[in-house]
Amino acid sequence: MRRISNAEVGLENGQKLLFSAFEDNGEMWAGEGPRVIRSPVRFDQTFLDAPTVHVSVAMLDMDSGANHRFDLQAERVTASGFDIIFRTWGDTRVARVRVSWLAIGSVAYRDNWDVI
């Protein structure tokens, strides 16, 4: 369990269209084997340290003629942002993916001050 001891907890969320590959016959739609998309997200305001980030699929458009295989993760989480990672493999054909994300962590509290 992560305990947040600061008096202020920040939440930031958003959605991101990772790709739309079917229009131009992109790699996620036309390719085979291991494929990966890495997409950076930068927070509007910096957290005090790396927040907890949850990512989920908001929209998924896949070919019905192949197996549906994918892995979705948040990687390289820092106080200022993270990377969304979408992977697929084999004969899976992915046309479009939109991801929702939520970051929760400590933020600066206006009554905090440093004593020297």
Side-chain angles (χ1 to χ4, degrees):
M1 172 187 291
R2 178 177 181 180
R3 295 182 185 271
I4 299 174
S5 61
N6 193 289
E8 291 277 324
V9 176
L11 288 96
E12 188 170 337
N13 68 311
Q15 289 194 359
K16 190 166 196 177
L17 180 67
L18 292 187
F19 60 86
S20 186
F22 68 95
E23 295 107 345
D24 61 359
N25 219 25
E27 181 182 21
M28 287 295 188
W29 181 249
E32 287 194 11
R35 289 155 283 155
V36 63
I37 295 287
R38 179 179 297 272
S39 184
V41 172
R42 298 297 154 237
F43 301 130
D44 290 338
Q45 295 182 21
T46 302
F47 289 86
L48 290 178
D49 56 13
T52 298
V53 175
H54 173 78
V55 291
S56 62
V57 173
M59 185 270 298
L60 182 64
D61 184 3
M62 300 178 88
D63 181 16
S64 64
N67 289 320
H68 293 184
R69 304 176 188 96
F70 71 91
D71 179 34
L72 178 65
Q73 297 180 359
E75 289 184 354
R76 298 182 190 174
V77 179
T78 69
S80 59
F82 68 99
D83 289 343
I84 298 171
I85 309 300
F86 182 90
R87 291 181 175 89
T88 191
W89 56 94
D91 63 347
T92 299
R93 292 169 37 105
V94 187
R96 289 182 293 216
V97 173
R98 187 175 64 242
V99 174
S100 292
W101 58 269
L102 173 66
I104 303 171
S106 297
V107 294
Y109 183 55
R110 60 186 156 96
D111 288 344
N112 283 357
W113 42 278
D114 291 326
V115 177
I116 300 177

